[in-house]
Amino acid sequence: MVIIRQLEIDDLAQVYRLGERLFTSDDMPILYRTWDPYEVTDYFSSDPDYCFVAEVDDKIVGFLLATTIEKEGTAWKRYGYISWLGVDEAFQRNNLARRLYRRLEDRLLEDGVRMVIADTDGDNAEAIDFFKAIGFSPRSEHIWLAKTLKRPVKGIRKRGHKQVTSSEPEENII
């Protein structure tokens, strides 16, 4: 039997390990945020009321990490934001993600939040379909850009159009 409950401190390691399996750089090479231990601990320590797990026989098989964002001068003033939602592959297609989301939505409604935001990669059709199925609608296309910087060759620096060795005085660099 699956139990959906609030994340507890003793769950942090299991949630982290599950996220490590789900959010890999092989599957998502240009994820704008990376999965690391701070993702779990930061959400747990800052907004534990919005962090939930799905548990089967004392094993975490899914999680949802969310927060709220306060924006004065906006229509809703307080927004829910889903940061991470993951379900063990063996338990996908069993409505666990939907159940985790429902628990979050109930909590947000109790706290007076009237809008929830989620974002995902534009190519992540599975996530987009999931969010649409639970009532989310695309608001606008969000584009982010990335550039991989090449590391300089050791001992050589470039300034302007002139290549110089690092032993050349700074004042001679154009």
Side-chain angles (χ1 to χ4, degrees):
M1 179 169 87
V2 177
I3 298 168
I4 305 294
R5 61 173 176 77
Q6 193 163 333
L7 176 70
E8 297 173 356
I9 195 164
D10 291 340
D11 302 325
L12 296 179
Q14 282 190 70
V15 169
Y16 172 69
R17 284 192 300 276
L18 177 56
E20 237 181 356
R21 289 195 319 269
L22 296 173
F23 305 117
T24 67
S25 59
D26 291 340
D27 293 335
M28 298 172 231
I30 308 180
L31 197 63
Y32 73 96
R33 286 189 343 260
T34 56
W35 180 257
D36 61 41
Y38 299 108
E39 288 294 307
V40 182
T41 57
D42 286 352
Y43 281 95
F44 176 74
S45 61
S46 65
D47 263 335
D49 291 344
Y50 306 112
C51 298
F52 300 94
V53 294
E55 180 181 59
V56 174
D57 298 326
D58 297 324
K59 179 182 176 192
I60 303 298
V61 297
F63 62 87
L64 186 149
L65 305 177
T67 189
T68 57
I69 301 167
E70 307 254 345
K71 292 220 176 217
E72 287 301 319
T74 61
W76 305 112
K77 292 195 180 11
R78 191 165 179 216
Y79 299 81
Y81 175 69
I82 299 172
S83 185
W84 295 98
L85 174 59
V87 174
D88 186 300
E89 291 176 358
F91 290 86
Q92 291 178 4
R93 308 273 184 257
N94 290 318
N95 288 318
L96 283 188
R98 184 180 296 260
R99 289 179 59 195
L100 284 161
Y101 173 74
R102 280 192 196 130
R103 180 63 61 90
L104 171 67
E105 187 174 288
D106 289 345
R107 177 67 49 82
L108 291 169
L109 284 168
E110 288 171 15
D111 292 346
V113 175
R114 294 177 48 206
M115 179 179 279
V116 183
I117 300 167
D119 61 2
T120 189
D121 186 82
D123 295 333
N124 191 344
E126 188 176 13
I128 292 167
D129 290 345
F130 167 76
F131 284 113
K132 284 181 176 179
I134 61 172
F136 281 69
S137 59
R139 292 294 184 197
S140 67
E141 186 170 336
H142 178 82
I143 298 174
W144 63 278
L145 306 167
K147 178 181 179 182
T148 302
L149 302 177
K150 293 182 181 178
R151 294 182 179 190
V153 177
K154 191 172 186 168
I156 297 177
R157 294 183 309 201
K158 287 186 176 183
R159 291 279 162 71
H161 297 288
K162 183 179 176 187
Q163 184 171 335
V164 296
T165 64
S166 59
S167 61
E168 188 169 334
E170 273 302 308
E171 60 269 11
N172 292 338
I173 298 174
I174 299 177

